Amino acid sequence: ELGWVYYIARAAAYAANANVLTAYLARWVAGADEGIVRAGILIAVTALFAAVNIAGVRKSIGFLGGLTVLKAVPLVIAAVAAIALTAPWPAPSPVPTLSGFEAGLLIVLYAFVGFEQAVVPAGETKNPASVLPRAIFITLGVTTLLYFLVQLAYVSAISGPASDEKAPLIDLGAWLAGPFGAAALTVTAMASLA
């Protein structure tokens, strides 16, 4: 039973990411999140990942490494720049209502799902009893810090709601560097969702 639940959760996460990817792309390409164009983009992205996986483990790992750099480096640069440009930072807001809290909890859970995959290659790891716990805690710590910095940067730089709630990083990029920043964080978000 757990295997099926995990399989469904991963398929749903991929579908959610693919839909957000089309939402980001739609800010630049009219109609990218509608109809046949959306379906074509979703099929192309899925085919790309299938091709990378078919190409072999070494190429897949290289591709994932490239995507990781493409998504992490611009996010850190944008977050640090926005935080530096907006000091002093806004005070924390009151605790959200229960329904808002629940929605936030789901977002946080979604952000951290996947770290448990670190135990899959345990049989191939030297000294997994000490390496894996350290790797999991480091991954959780770095991910938490990155999410915190991006959120602080966004709430510090952007007052009010996003111009498009499905693609808020575009607003932060535009605030930092105009159309170039918006395009850069669009590519970053799309790499992060892939």
Side-chain angles (χ1 to χ4, degrees), residues 6-180:
Y6 180 76
Y7 177 75
I8 291 169
R10 298 309 299 165
Y14 178 76
N17 281 346
N19 282 308
V20 173
L21 186 143
T22 61
Y24 269 91
L25 192 57
R27 290 282 299 264
W28 299 95
V29 178
D33 61 346
E34 298 174 356
I36 193 78
V37 175
R38 179 176 169 270
I41 292 168
L42 294 175
I43 290 169
V45 168
T46 303
L48 171 68
F49 288 122
V52 168
N53 282 310
I54 290 168
V57 174
R58 189 172 307 240
K59 289 184 180 178
S60 295
I61 295 299
F63 185 72
L64 288 174
L67 282 179
T68 300
V69 169
L70 185 60
K71 62 186 168 184
V73 171
L75 279 177
V76 169
I77 291 170
V80 170
I83 289 168
L85 292 170
T86 58
W89 308 299
S93 60
V95 176
T97 63
L98 188 57
S99 62
F101 176 77
E102 292 165 346
L105 188 61
L106 285 174
I107 291 170
V108 169
L109 175 68
Y110 177 76
F112 289 97
V113 166
F115 73 90
E116 70 279 358
Q117 288 297 310
V119 299
V120 171
E124 304 295 325
T125 305
K126 291 181 183 177
N127 197 10
S130 67
V131 171
L132 289 177
R134 191 172 353 152
I136 289 172
F137 282 113
I138 290 170
T139 300
L140 285 171
V142 169
T143 303
T144 300
L145 180 63
L146 179 61
Y147 272 86
F148 174 76
L149 289 175
V150 171
Q151 291 295 322
L152 179 60
Y154 185 86
V155 299
S156 298
I158 309 296
S159 59
S163 62
D164 181 355
E165 65 184 30
K166 293 180 181 178
L169 281 178
I170 295 175
D171 291 342
L172 180 61
W175 183 86
L176 280 168
F180 172 78

